[in-house]
Every structure is written in structure tokens, then in C-alpha cells.
């Protein structure tokens, strides 16, 4: 039986004007911007639709803005009759997926994102770190290469069989890039981020975040929810604040996630949110599945057509 997985975009996918065409298609999504603005204290509609790239690149802004746009895209699709059996996200995207799967209310989702973004921004301003995508080497080669350079650098995003992101101290990341180039990497692409996300250098953010969210209530997901930490179905929600704090300093095992989804019968993947990074990772990792993204009128209309809505 065919099963559909909702995927929610991660940090770095933001761009100017994101969500504008979707709001025109689904005016009901205005309530999402209003809810988020009331809770975060930021004008999220103005930021998503009008802010420049430099403004959107700030962690404290990009995280709530991407989260909002993912919910807007999902709202537009649900208005067209879209349903899904499971939800997942890449890093930041897990928060929109948690709302979509019924684990937290939209209001609590915005509260979580507000605190996460602030804690990570604060941490980034007090430590020097870098991230780099390594293309054309296997995850095992990247793991091995990281052990051969001085300083702290580790694989943090297992994105596809041929793309792994590393993070760590800037000097160590630069040394690793030289090592991977020597090993035959096709490309090494420095990411436009201000810190070494998903590494131990973010521990101060994880600790501060936990204290801010330890009393937030979570429910068991009403849909399958696949998580970044293990790449498997999340079944225990008894201590989600600890999980989400650990999530900030742990690798994203997205390739494992995708493989487990396919083995469970998922054959249609719909990415809701800005960009199409996750759609591309599905195509690089899995064969024999349908994958599409929804971020504007063109992609919305194509998804509606392909899904037969």
C-alpha cells in the first residue's frame, strides 16, 4: 500500500519572499503568521515576505521564518486535500514535523522555536565554528578523514550516500577540507552558518534550551514520526525536552531515516517549506519513489496534479 511522508525543510533553505505565493493561494494561512508573531514578538509575515537575505540569515530569524513557511505550505496543501501518513524534518524541520504529527500544538511549536533560535544564536556569538558539505566521498571516508586532522571536527549531517556535512573548530574544518580534497572529494562547500551546529560546540545552547522548555507538554504523535537522532520511528515521548536538547549537539542521520521510511512502505515524499534540499536528498538516496517539494504556486500546482488532489 502506498504511503506518503511529509518532509519539513531545515535551516539554510530560507530566501527572500518565501511563502508569498502560498499565502495568496491560501489566505487562511494568515493565522499562522499572526500566531507566530504574537508568540515570538517578531513580525513573521513581514520577515518571510519582505526581509532581505542578510536579515533572514540570522539564526534567531531564519529558524522561526522557515518553521512558519513550512506550516504555511502544509496548510495550503491540506486545503487542497493533501493527507500524509508520516512526518519528518531535517534538523530545524523536525519542529514543523512535530506540529504536523500532533506532538505539540502550533503555539507550543512557536514557543520551542523562539527559545531554540535564541539559544543557538547566543551560543554562536560566543564561539568560533564552521560547517562544510563534503560531496563525492562516502560517510565512512568522511568519518575516517576527520580522525586524521588536528583539532575538533566531526561528521554532523549524514545527508546522502555521497554528501556528509562536517562541523567543528574553524581551523580543524579547514584542515579537513584539505584532507578530503586530497582524498578525491568532488567538492567541499563551506556553509553560510555562524557556528558548528549539531556538534559538542553547541552544548551551551543545548543546556540553556533545555531549561527553557523542560515544562512544555508533548503528546504521542498521531502520525509516524521519524527522528534525526536514530533515523528510526520515535516511540518514546516521555522526555522530549531532553531529546530536543540532545538534538542540538547530535548528528542528523537523515540517510538512515530515508532508508527506514522506504522499508516501512513509504514511496511518496512531499517537502513543505522553502527550497528543495530534502527532495534532492531523497532522489540521491532512494530509488523507485516519488518526491516533490511545495514552496510556491508552480510547485504547489505540480504537487496537486501529481498527487491527484
Amino acid at each position: 500500500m502506498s504511503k506518503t511522508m511529509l518532509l519539513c525543510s531545515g535551516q539554510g533553505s530560507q530566501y527572500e519572499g518565501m511563502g508569498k505565493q502560498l499565502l495568496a493561494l491560501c489566505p487562511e494561512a494568515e493565522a499562522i503568521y499572526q500566531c507566530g508573531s504574537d508568540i515570538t514578538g517578531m513580525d513573521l509575515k513581514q520577515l518571510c515576505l519582505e526581509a532581505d537575505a542578510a536579515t533572514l540569515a540570522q539564526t534567531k530569524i531564519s529558524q522561526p521564518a522557515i518553521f512558519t513557511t513550512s506550516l504555511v505550505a502544509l496548510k495550503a496543501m491540506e486545503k487542497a486535500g493533501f493527507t500524509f501518513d508520516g512526518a519528518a524534518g531535517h534538523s530545524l524541520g523536525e519542529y514543523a514535523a512535530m506540529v504536523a504529527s500532533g506532538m505539540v500544538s502550533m503555539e507550543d511549536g512557536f514557543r520551542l522555536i523562539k527559545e531554540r533560535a535564541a539559544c543557538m544564536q547566543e551560543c554562536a556569538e560566543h564561539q568560533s565554528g564552521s560547517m562544510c558539505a563534503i560531496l563525492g566521498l562516502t560517510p565512512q571516508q568522511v568519518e575516517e578523514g576527520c580522525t586524521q586532522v588536528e583539532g575538533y571536527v566531526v561528521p554532523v549531517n549524514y545527508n546522502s550516500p555521497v554528501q556528509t556535512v562536517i562541523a567543528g573548530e574553524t581551523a580543524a574544518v579547514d584542515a579537513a577540507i584539505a584532507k578530503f580534497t586530497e582524498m578525491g572529494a568532488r567538492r567541499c562547500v563551506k556553509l553560510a552558518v555562524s557556528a558548528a551546529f549539531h556538534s559538542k560546540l553547541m552544548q551551551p545552547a543545548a543546556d540553556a534550551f533545555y531549561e527553557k522548555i523542560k515544562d512544555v507538554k508533548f503528546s504521542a504523535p498521531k502520525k509516524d514520526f521519524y527522528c534525526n537522532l536514530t533515523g528510526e520511528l520515535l516511540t518514546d515521548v516521555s522526555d522530549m525536552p531532553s531529546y530536543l536538547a540532545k538534538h542540538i549537539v547530535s548528528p542528523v542521520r537523515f540517510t538512515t531515516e530515508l532508508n527506514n521510511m522506504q522499508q516501512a512502505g513509504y514511496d511518496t515524499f512531499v517537502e513543505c517549506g522553502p527550497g528543495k534540499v530534502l527532495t534532492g536528498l531523497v532522489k540521491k538516496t532512494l530509488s523507485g519513489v516519488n518526491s516533490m517539494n511545495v514552496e510556491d504556486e508552480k510547485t504547489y500546482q505540480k504537487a496537486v496534479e501529481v498527487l491527484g488532489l
Side-chain angles (χ1 to χ4, degrees), residues 201-217:
L201 297 181
M202 298 303 293
Q203 192 63 52
D207 294 341
F209 182 50
Y210 176 81
E211 290 301 320
K212 296 283 190 181
I213 68 163
K214 60 186 178 183
D215 296 324
V216 174
K217 303 302 180 191

Side-chain angles (χ1 to χ4, degrees), residues 29 44 61 86 120 129 145 168 204 229 231 236 241 251 291:
L44 285 169
I61 292 173
M120 291 178 71
L229 257 64
D236 181 5
S291 60

Side-chain angles (χ1 to χ4, degrees), residues 118-136:
C119 290
M120 291 178 71
Q121 174 93 25
E122 172 75 13
C123 183
E125 290 172 357
H126 290 89
Q127 59 106 326
S128 172
S130 302
M131 300 180 74
C132 183
I134 311 301
L135 284 69

